[in-house]
Amino acid sequence: MHGTDPTTKTIPGFVGSRLDRVDHIRTNPALLAETFADPAARLLVLEGLEPVEVNGHLLLEPLGPDARAEDHVLLGVDPAARPIFARLVVDLGPALTPTPRSRAIAGLVPAEEVALYGAARSLVHWHARHRHCSVCGATTRPVKAGWSRKCDADACAAEHFPRTDPVVIMLAEHRGRILLGRQHAWPPGRYSALAGFVEPGETIEEAVARELFEEAGVRVHDVRYVMSQPWPFPSSLMIACIGQTQDDALTLDETEIEDAFWCDADQVRAALAGDPDAPFLAPPQMAVAWHLLDHWLAAVAPSPASA
């Protein structure tokens, strides 16, 4: 049940993939060649890193007659038994950050296609930025259907894999209220859960506690996991959590956080409903932060079911 509408279930953007990732094909050159030659195979069309939408769906086209398997990544096989590929790009230029077009795709195509785009974007971006070996500096080439890169230097031959950066995004809870903050660059009025990267040697729970203390001076305990979301800008995994605190005193790191405040259930409900009188502008519904707020609201103050 959700805090805003118990009859409606939504999911964050980039969640809901229905692809079979077919690892057995990725690692078998003969099966990969056969899959690439399949008449049902389709190319997910991207313009750089941007999605292409036509009539409510991502644009998928047959692979061209001159296409080569080594220039593509096999994203997987869809429920219609179509192998789906994306073309690797050598130079993306400055196309690194999310754009209105890439964010808006979540409202234009089905959830499983949003997830498909997210995976493709992350992989194409990673390949374009990892053309040289981080061990010896030699060139690298795609292997395993685009799911790793191999150093060309015989003396090295290091294998590199697409990275995913774990990010904790969390609410501190104190006596029926939660802590929300805003970054300096956000639109006026926008507040959300605090967030930060998990550092080497940390558990998720330790990262939640550290980030809340560093950014807001709040010490939490009893951290619990809620949900996660792939975030392909360029390739993070958002890990949503809630922790408890006994002290609501705030000490903000003003280089990271412009402002923060404690918010009760009625204020959260108003913001998620888009009430113009709400005390803050909620994060977009495609973001896991919106769903974390909704999850918390449903637990502490669920809306009554419709008659």
Side-chain angles (χ1 to χ4, degrees):
M1 182 163 58
H2 287 242
T4 50
D5 182 353
T7 66
T8 302
K9 179 174 178 57
T10 59
I11 59 175
F14 310 109
V15 173
S17 174
R18 298 178 65 198
L19 285 182
D20 179 348
R21 297 199 173 206
V22 292
D23 183 67
H24 67 289
I25 295 177
R26 298 179 192 173
T27 55
N28 186 314
L31 281 179
L32 177 59
E34 181 181 321
T35 301
F36 194 76
D38 187 339
R42 291 293 181 269
L43 174 71
L44 174 64
V45 177
L46 300 176
E47 293 181 351
L49 289 177
E50 297 290 81
V52 179
E53 176 267 336
V54 178
N55 298 324
H57 292 279
L58 293 176
L59 180 58
L60 296 172
E61 295 181 342
L63 294 166
D66 298 327
R68 303 188 308 162
E70 57 266 34
D71 296 331
H72 295 75
V73 56
L74 173 60
L75 300 173
V77 175
D78 72 7
R82 300 181 302 177
I84 307 297
F85 291 85
R87 184 181 294 112
L88 301 180
V89 180
V90 172
D91 184 9
L92 292 171
L96 302 178
T97 57
T99 63
R101 179 176 169 186
S102 57
R103 289 178 180 273
I105 197 65
L108 299 176
V109 302
E112 62 267 23
E113 294 187 21
V114 181
L116 173 65
Y117 166 65
R121 181 188 174 102
S122 289
L123 284 164
V124 171
H125 177 273
W126 178 78
H127 278 281
R129 293 291 181 253
H130 290 80
R131 290 178 291 144
H132 292 86
C133 178
S134 61
V135 178
C136 72
T139 58
T140 60
R141 54 187 168 80
V143 294
K144 294 182 179 176
W147 286 87
S148 69
R149 294 186 72 91
K150 191 76 174 288
C151 177
D152 282 331
D154 292 338
C156 179
E159 190 170 5
H160 306 276
F161 296 89
R163 62 181 296 166
T164 296
D165 299 314
V167 178
V168 288
I169 181 164
M170 56 272 169
L171 300 173
E173 184 176 24
H174 179 266
R175 297 181 181 178
R177 300 178 301 158
I178 53 172
L179 180 63
L180 299 177
R182 61 170 280 107
Q183 296 183 10
H184 298 270
W186 285 358
R190 168 69 50 79
Y191 283 77
S192 185
L194 303 188
F197 287 98
V198 179
E199 296 186 346
E202 274 188 323
T203 65
I204 292 170
E205 295 85 351
E206 290 166 348
V208 167
R210 175 183 54 78
E211 284 288 343
L212 283 168
F213 182 70
E214 288 178 354
E215 295 189 353
V218 173
R219 294 195 181 276
V220 295
H221 56 89
D222 295 337
V223 174
R224 64 185 188 274
Y225 167 83
V226 175
M227 67 183 76
S228 63
Q229 176 193 29
W231 190 249
F233 304 111
S235 191
S236 296
L237 178 66
M238 309 299 293
I239 305 166
C241 299
I242 299 175
Q244 304 297 313
T245 182
Q246 301 299 325
D247 188 349
D248 64 353
L250 300 179
T251 303
L252 301 186
D253 177 356
E254 296 183 356
T255 62
E256 295 283 342
I257 301 296
E258 182 180 84
D259 186 36
F261 75 105
W262 293 97
C263 187
D264 65 27
D266 288 340
Q267 294 172 313
V268 172
R269 181 177 289 108
L272 294 187
D275 187 337
D277 295 325
F280 69 98
L281 177 65
Q285 194 167 349
M286 72 173 294
V288 74
W290 189 99
H291 296 267
L292 181 59
L293 292 171
D294 193 43
H295 173 91
W296 176 81
L297 188 60
V300 301
S303 299
S306 301

